[in-house]
Amino acid sequence: MTSELSRRIIGALPDAVVSIDRTSIVISVNDAACRIFGYAAEEFVGRPLAETIIPTELAPQHGRGMDKFLSTGHGPVIGRHIEIVARDKTGRRFPIELCVFLDPEQPREVFHATIRDISARAARDAANAAERAQVQLFFDATADVWWDCRIGGETRFSERAASELGLADGVLGPVPTPDQPWIAHTDRARMREAWDEHLRGASGRYECTYRVETNEGKERWFRDRGRAVEFDAGRPIRIVGSTTDVTEQREAEDRLRNAQRLELLGVLAGGFAHDLNNLLAAIRGQAALAATEHGVAPAVLESLEAIQLATTKAKVLASNMLSLGKPQASEIRRFPARPAIEESVQLVRPGLPRSIAISVDLSGTDGLDLEMDPSAFQQAILNLVINARDAMPQGGTLRIEGSSRADASGNLELLLLVEDTGVGMTTEVRKRLFEPFFTTKPKGVGTGLGLAVVHQAVVGGKGSIDVSSEPGRGTRFTLALPAFESAEAMQASNAIEPLEIVLGEEHGMLRPMLAEALRACGHTVYEAADGALALRLASERASPPGLLVLDAQLSHVDGFRVHARAEERFGGRVPVVFTSSDGSTVMPSPSSPHVTLLAKPFEIHELLDAVARVTRGRDRSR
């Protein structure tokens, strides 16, 4: 009864059941075995197992297993579930799951095997493995690094993680992501906070940006994004995510922030530049006029000179902000190089501590003119000297040397060397040296504007700047600028025939000083405190004025329109010197020999130079 029931149960099983004797001859099979292997029952029974379902190459292995069992009573597959390959009647090979057990009544004579066709499962596993491999290739091919972190266990990284992070092989250790030793110490606490927030469910995903010092000693920025994918009792036990290099993005954001800061600086600086430059021009001009009086005591002359030097320094500091805050219209003209350099050095010398020895040799610049904005040139020298001073907190030597040479095209070139024996710079600092707002000085000490101004001035003068430096061995700046031999005409006296001059200037302190300086040269000056009066004085007269000196920002009628109406009225060229305290002022028409723009604050001699220049320019163009 039991035997009949067992046969019925075996016959109804979906898995194949094959029974063999100790010589591996098939003694019985069920219907599933016939269906899976394609044999009729009579084709199975009485035949060796090796001739039916065992592949030829596996037959010796099967024989050795049977011999071992018969001699020892132990077999390698008895009572175990194993996966091997079988074959059917057509010779097709396919994977099966096999379990062999002994017959309870004849344990050393009869063996039963249950066999399950796992072709579909194997196909699914292979497809899944292929898909996983494809996904793995995709992730490995991306620029991002992927990682898989078991909480309290190891963190697996993508194949190219070390190279993408700029780290040496073997550095990526089996620790949770925020504790990786290559992450900057200052960023770890913030990273750990973001990590813990995600673990306790306070945030939907883990995200943090941090710095990494690469194997080459460079600093790069990365962003981690991850999400918990496995949980135990509601708490995450596995987080997977990716790491993206955002260095370029951070640098672009920094450049944008700097641009916005520069724009804001321009707005703020422009708000007070007009009045500040007018005041500086008035103070400097009055001091210059006072110094020309007869019988002025030497001590008073020294004080007047100190006033002029102080206003020059104030002018440079204001120009630093204005030149970077918004574009400025440069006054490009030729000027002697040596006096400009000497004046800049004289200005900054009192600010050097006694521990710094200064050596100046400008003999190589004698007879050389530069053609650029003289204010920007002096500003660049001042900033270089101040930078050298700050690089020598314990003292040292500052060397300033000027020379000339012919460039590759044979054109004359002025070389200006500014060298210190200070702390020097690393390669990385040199690369960012001329970026606005970049500074290695402590917070509150440096603005990061000085060397950016130097670079802007040199490039604006069509020159170049070379920097050589090593940590602890000082720094050398070499400026190369196009130069010209001084022309005798530029050295001639500014004496010209007396002129009738219309002076349009609103500032109550500056206008009288300018008028006095022009009258001291023998000119007749008609003063106007606004644009409307200047327009009447310039155009409502029988003959054209000899010269106009006009603030470009006159109220009611600006200086440009006053000049245009005067030229229209007299049908000819009326020489004009425009003045402006706004660094962004640009003349509305192309420059002409009888027109120039003078930026405030300016020296008296600069005004007289401009007057002579535009007057001669009018005469040459007739």
Side-chain angles (χ1 to χ4, degrees):
M1 179 108 181
T2 302
S3 176
E4 179 62 25
L5 178 61
S6 297
R7 282 195 295 271
R8 288 182 181 181
I9 293 173
I10 291 173
L13 289 175
D15 294 339
V17 178
V18 177
S19 301
I20 59 174
D21 62 15
R22 59 183 300 158
T23 63
S24 295
I25 299 296
V26 177
I27 57 178
S28 68
V29 295
N30 67 350
D31 293 342
C34 296
R35 183 178 67 255
I36 291 173
F37 292 101
Y39 291 101
E42 56 270 20
E43 294 177 301
F44 249 136
V45 176
R47 296 180 62 186
L49 197 64
E51 294 182 4
T52 53
I53 64 175
I54 297 179
T56 305
E57 67 274 13
L58 296 181
Q61 180 179 343
H62 170 72
R64 290 192 296 272
M66 288 293 292
D67 292 341
K68 182 178 180 180
F69 175 78
L70 293 175
S71 62
T72 65
H74 300 285
V77 298
I78 303 299
R80 297 176 51 203
H81 288 269
I82 62 173
E83 293 183 4
I84 60 173
V85 177
R87 63 184 175 97
D88 62 11
K89 184 177 180 179
T90 65
R92 178 181 69 91
R93 294 164 183 265
F94 57 97
I96 62 170
E97 184 180 80
L98 171 70
C99 181
V100 178
F101 57 94
L102 304 178
D103 187 272
E105 297 179 358
Q106 306 176 69
R108 299 181 65 87
E109 299 294 329
V110 178
F111 305 87
H112 306 288
T114 60
I115 301 171
R116 177 174 296 175
D117 183 352
I118 58 173
S119 298
R121 188 179 74 188
R124 286 194 302 271
D125 290 346
N128 291 337
E131 184 177 356
R132 286 194 298 271
Q134 188 175 13
V135 171
Q136 177 91 24
L137 289 173
F138 171 77
F139 280 120
D140 287 342
T142 65
D144 292 351
V145 171
W146 63 262
W147 43 267
D148 185 342
C149 179
R150 286 280 179 182
I151 308 301
E154 293 189 354
T155 300
R156 291 175 50 244
F157 292 90
S158 53
E159 182 179 351
R160 294 167 50 240
S163 62
E164 290 296 334
L165 292 171
L167 304 174
D169 290 339
V171 171
L172 299 177
V175 293
T177 301
D179 298 327
Q180 292 288 355
W182 33 267
I183 295 169
H185 288 278
T186 53
D187 295 340
R188 291 186 186 178
R190 178 165 45 82
M191 201 172 184
R192 168 57 63 187
E193 182 180 356
W195 183 264
D196 290 342
E197 279 186 0
H198 183 58
L199 287 181
R200 65 174 181 265
S203 61
R205 70 176 178 182
Y206 161 67
E207 182 171 346
C208 188
T209 302
Y210 56 89
R211 288 162 294 176
V212 168
E213 184 172 335
T214 68
N215 193 42
E216 300 174 352
K218 298 179 180 179
E219 184 179 85
R220 290 165 66 184
W221 284 89
F222 292 88
R223 177 179 293 126
D224 276 359
R225 285 192 175 101
R227 193 182 300 275
V229 295
E230 288 187 25
F231 301 84
D232 182 13
R235 184 171 180 81
I237 60 173
R238 180 185 177 196
I239 299 177
V240 298
S242 65
T243 300
T244 305
D245 188 337
V246 294
T247 305
E248 292 185 3
Q249 178 182 338
R250 292 282 301 204
E251 291 174 349
E253 290 172 352
D254 287 343
R255 288 193 294 271
L256 177 59
R257 279 193 294 269
N258 283 342
Q260 292 171 338
R261 291 166 69 186
L262 287 173
E263 182 180 358
L264 178 60
L265 178 61
V267 172
L268 296 176
F272 68 79
H274 184 84
D275 287 339
L276 175 62
N277 283 330
N278 279 330
L279 288 170
L280 291 175
I283 295 169
R284 191 176 182 87
Q286 293 288 3
L289 287 174
T292 63
E293 295 292 332
H294 295 294
V296 179
V300 175
L301 287 175
E302 289 183 5
S303 296
L304 292 172
E305 183 180 358
I307 292 172
Q308 294 184 69
L309 290 175
T311 57
T312 298
K313 184 175 182 180
K315 170 187 173 182
V316 170
L317 293 176
S319 297
N320 271 358
M321 293 186 295
L322 286 172
S323 64
L324 289 175
K326 55 183 176 179
Q328 297 190 74
S330 298
E331 184 199 4
I332 306 299
R333 64 178 176 86
R334 288 195 183 186
F335 60 93
R338 182 166 182 170
I341 300 172
E342 288 176 337
E343 182 180 349
S344 300
V345 174
Q346 183 184 16
L347 173 66
V348 78
R349 188 187 290 267
L352 297 179
R354 294 182 179 180
S355 59
I356 295 179
I358 181 169
S359 169
V360 182
D361 181 5
L362 301 175
S363 58
T365 65
D366 286 337
L368 292 181
D369 283 357
L370 296 176
E371 188 172 79
M372 59 184 299
D373 185 338
S375 176
F377 176 65
Q378 291 186 304
Q379 192 176 341
I381 297 172
L382 178 61
N383 282 316
L384 284 175
V385 174
I386 290 175
N387 184 76
R389 178 200 66 187
D390 294 342
M392 297 184 286
Q394 306 304 319
T397 301
L398 170 63
R399 183 163 70 100
I400 301 174
E401 185 177 299
S403 61
S404 63
R405 71 179 182 187
D407 64 13
S409 302
N411 298 317
L412 187 60
E413 198 170 50
L414 179 142
L415 298 180
L416 181 64
L417 173 75
V418 179
E419 183 178 42
D420 65 67
T421 58
V423 296
M425 295 177 285
T426 64
T427 301
E428 291 305 308
V429 171
R430 287 203 309 272
K431 289 179 180 179
R432 301 187 60 191
L433 193 59
F434 300 118
E435 292 181 13
F437 301 109
F438 174 74
T439 179
T440 59
K441 299 174 185 176
K443 187 174 182 180
V445 175
T447 62
L449 295 178
L451 291 178
V453 169
V454 173
H455 184 265
Q456 182 171 292
V458 173
V459 172
K462 300 180 180 179
S464 61
I465 183 168
D466 179 70
V467 185
S468 59
S469 181
E470 292 182 23
R473 304 189 65 177
T475 301
R476 174 186 293 178
F477 290 88
T478 304
L479 279 60
L481 292 160
F484 309 87
E485 293 184 6
S486 296
E488 291 297 323
M490 296 299 293
Q491 306 300 324
S493 170
N494 282 328
I496 57 175
E497 295 182 2
L499 301 170
E500 288 191 342
I501 300 175
V502 175
L503 171 62
E505 171 58 55
E506 294 187 1
H507 199 278
M509 292 179 61
L510 183 57
R511 186 178 63 258
M513 185 274 295
L514 296 178
E516 183 180 351
L518 293 171
R519 290 183 180 121
C521 296
H523 304 299
T524 301
V525 181
Y526 302 94
E527 299 180 44
D530 58 50
L533 179 55
L535 179 61
R536 290 198 299 271
L537 293 174
S539 60
E540 296 178 5
R541 50 189 295 130
S543 60
L547 175 72
L548 302 177
V549 178
L550 303 171
D551 189 317
Q553 286 86 33
L554 286 172
S555 59
H556 305 303
V557 183
D558 65 49
F560 296 132
R561 286 200 290 163
V562 171
H563 178 244
R565 291 282 295 275
E567 289 206 325
E568 180 183 348
R569 163 72 173 82
F570 296 106
R573 295 178 179 272
V574 178
V576 60
V577 176
F578 292 115
T579 64
S580 175
S581 57
D582 185 350
S584 63
T585 299
V586 179
M587 289 189 290
S589 59
S591 60
S592 301
H594 69 293
V595 178
T596 193
L597 177 66
L598 197 58
K600 298 176 183 178
F602 47 78
E603 307 280 358
I604 293 296
H605 72 82
E606 291 180 305
L607 173 63
L608 299 180
D609 284 345
V611 169
R613 188 165 60 253
V614 298
T615 304
R616 295 186 183 112
R618 174 200 58 186
D619 296 338
R620 288 195 302 269
S621 63
R622 284 178 174 173

